[in-house]
Amino acid sequence: MKRKPGWTLEQAFYISPEIFRDDMAGVFGQSWLFAGHQCQIPQPGDFFVYDMARDSLVILHGMDGVIRALHNVCRHRGTRLCDSGSGHMDKIVCPYHQWRYDTAGTLQATTWMGDDFDPAQFSLHQAQVRNVAGLIYVCLSDTPPDFEQAVADLTRLLEPHGLDNAKIAYSETYRIRGNWKLVIENQRECYHCPAKHKAYAKIQHDTDVHDADKQDMLQARVDGARQKWTAMGLDTSHVRPDSGFSGGWWRANRTPFRSGYVSETMDGQQVAPLMGSFTEADVGNARANTYPNFWLHASCDHVHIVRVIPIDAETTELQADWLVHADAVEGTDYEVDAVIAFSKLVNDEDHDIVMGQARGVGSSRYQPGPLSPVKEEMVDHFLDWYMTKQGTE
Ligand code: FES
Ligand SMILES: [Fe+2]
């Protein structure tokens, strides 16, 4: 099935279980996926489970200090080793016949397997894993896409925010009735922002970027920010007033807020201690995406991160985490409500839109529609990337 360039997808791409299976194998199975945070597993033995479609990985900080992504599948008869969630363990014991593995995935002990049994042949399978400035990425494919430029761009942008010295202040899992691609499409444009995101448009410049009479103001804002941030030692190779393109399937850029605002909070002011290496609040908004499952907005005092979890062709979960400085004390240094209110509002507004769109897209009268070449360029970019990955073009 083809896609007309510059148009949305045929209906089947949003509702068909067969295409969903292809998406999981061809897109999610072959991409670098954001799995979670380094700060979830600070100590040797700490782990969390990352479930992705039919696969499950144990992201484990080994007793040797190495972070691994072990397939959650016993090498004996395939039993799932760890239930969903997180915790601490210094060995992995299969609940079925008690085969025991060390935290590097090496089989250490079995019973009744006979004299010619060679445990060295039965280590747990491992996925590719990378720690990118505190963000843990995995790839299920043995031939992962090249990640080096994305790692460099994301690291340059995010290292100053100190995600590796953070803690999760709040998490929320949303269940959306709609295909995962509708979620990403919506995230990649701000055409809907003037009508749907009034609080967002009040502190961010995205809604100005195509207005002829705002160009001088925006240029001055970007130039001023670049000068200031360069002096602060921040990377300024991708400073822009919106969330545009930078890499092939990722982007990493820093965005000035509207004048007078320094954080994605309801009043645009700092509500928690500065993170990372910052000594002042006016560092703009670092924004990053990696297709197909991750985006982030980082302010001086907190970071809002979303992981997209496709459930079936018409259901998607979104795991949203809000990070603050590791040493920040709730109730003293910050209030959770103040940290999360702004992004929670934007999330709710977006989820409403996506679910309304999904209902229309699933109806008998849906047909692909034309994208705005000005306002929805990045939707087109995502769908182009998707069709290449999905392999159906
Ligand atoms: S299935 Fe794991 S020990 Fe038997
Ligand atoms: Fe939105």
Side-chain angles (χ1 to χ4, degrees):
M1 212 180 311
K2 297 262 189 222
R3 166 180 177 251
K4 191 169 165 184
W7 290 62
T8 61
L9 299 172
E10 297 286 344
Q11 182 184 55
F13 285 102
Y14 300 114
I15 63 172
S16 151
E18 289 73 32
I19 291 183
F20 181 80
R21 276 199 292 276
D22 289 348
D23 284 4
M24 292 308 98
V27 182
F28 279 75
Q30 301 292 327
S31 299
W32 283 98
L33 303 172
F34 169 65
H37 307 285
Q38 177 189 328
C39 68
Q40 290 173 268
I41 47 172
Q43 302 301 326
D46 291 348
F47 75 93
F48 64 86
V49 173
Y50 173 46
D51 292 326
M52 213 302 291
R54 299 177 73 86
D55 286 310
S56 178
L57 298 172
V58 182
I59 313 294
L60 177 57
H61 188 154
M63 302 314 282
D64 57 359
V66 176
I67 294 176
R68 295 180 179 82
L70 304 172
H71 277 274
N72 201 355
V73 181
C74 182
R75 291 297 308 278
H76 178 215
R77 282 167 54 198
T79 296
R80 191 179 164 102
L81 297 162
C82 301
D83 282 334
S84 294
S86 58
H88 184 90
M89 57 189 172
D90 57 12
K91 57 186 174 299
I92 306 168
V93 180
C94 178
Y96 201 173
H97 312 95
Q98 310 292 300
W99 280 24
R100 177 161 55 82
Y101 304 86
D102 68 15
T103 56
T106 307
L107 184 58
Q108 296 284 314
T110 62
T111 52
W112 305 107
M113 289 307 295
D115 292 341
D116 58 352
F117 177 72
D118 177 11
Q121 303 304 311
F122 296 95
S123 294
L124 296 177
H125 291 297
Q126 298 192 27
Q128 314 280 330
V129 64
R130 288 289 290 268
N131 182 352
V132 185
L135 303 170
I136 295 176
Y137 276 83
V138 298
C139 184
L140 293 161
S141 169
D142 291 333
T143 52
D146 183 37
F147 201 20
E148 297 315 313
Q149 191 57 49
V151 169
D153 287 354
L154 291 165
T155 302
R156 269 202 307 270
L157 178 75
L158 296 174
E159 215 162 36
H161 287 267
L163 273 66
D164 54 352
N165 187 28
K167 66 173 184 178
I168 297 177
Y170 186 75
S171 285
E172 184 148 353
T173 304
Y174 302 90
R175 184 166 269 239
I176 307 281
R177 193 81 190 128
N179 183 271
W180 68 273
K181 296 184 288 292
L182 295 177
V183 173
I184 304 290
E185 290 175 24
N186 173 65
Q187 205 277 332
R188 299 312 292 121
E189 50 95 353
C190 220
Y191 192 12
H192 66 278
C193 293
K196 303 308 294 188
H197 297 313
K198 301 246 188 286
Y200 183 85
K202 192 176 146 209
I203 67 167
Q204 299 275 20
H205 279 300
D206 301 62
T207 49
D208 296 337
V209 290
H210 301 105
D211 294 357
D213 60 341
K214 305 271 175 58
Q215 296 310 305
D216 290 349
M217 176 272 292
L218 286 177
Q219 195 57 52
R221 197 82 192 108
V222 167
D223 289 347
R226 191 177 278 128
Q227 203 175 359
K228 178 169 185 179
W229 297 339
T230 302
M232 290 167 69
L234 298 177
D235 172 52
T236 51
S237 51
H238 296 291
V239 175
R240 48 182 304 146
D242 65 353
S243 286
F245 174 79
S246 58
W249 46 268
W250 70 94
R251 55 114 186 180
N253 64 273
R254 190 172 294 277
T255 304
F257 286 109
R258 288 186 192 279
S259 186
Y261 300 117
V262 295
S263 182
E264 280 195 322
T265 56
M266 291 311 284
D267 64 0
Q269 303 308 313
Q270 182 183 345
V271 296
L274 294 175
M275 293 181 74
S277 57
F278 298 134
T279 53
E280 64 168 288
D282 186 15
V283 298
N285 196 210
R287 303 180 186 179
N289 282 68
T290 52
Y291 296 160
N293 85 330
F294 163 89
W295 71 83
L296 154 164
H297 277 206
S299 299
C300 61
D301 57 347
H302 75 281
V303 188
H304 176 235
I305 293 155
V306 176
R307 190 181 70 180
V308 178
I309 309 159
I311 302 296
D312 61 34
E314 296 182 78
T315 314
T316 306
E317 279 188 0
L318 300 178
Q319 166 82 41
D321 297 324
W322 284 261
L323 269 54
V324 297
H325 194 289
D327 300 334
V329 178
E330 185 184 346
T332 305
D333 297 322
Y334 71 95
E335 300 295 339
V336 169
D337 277 352
V339 171
I340 69 174
F342 178 92
S343 306
K344 230 168 125 58
L345 173 64
V346 175
N347 290 346
D348 289 342
E349 291 166 341
D350 276 328
H351 301 164
D352 252 18
I353 303 168
V354 171
M355 287 192 279
Q357 185 193 8
R359 281 197 289 273
V361 164
S363 83
S364 64
R365 274 294 171 173
Y366 169 78
Q367 61 191 75
L371 299 168
S372 161
V374 178
K375 293 282 189 183
E376 293 171 312
E377 209 186 351
M378 294 308 301
V379 179
D380 194 40
H381 176 265
F382 164 64
L383 292 176
D384 264 354
W385 174 85
Y386 165 75
M387 290 304 283
T388 312
K389 282 301 260 198
Q390 218 262 358
T392 50
E393 198 165 39

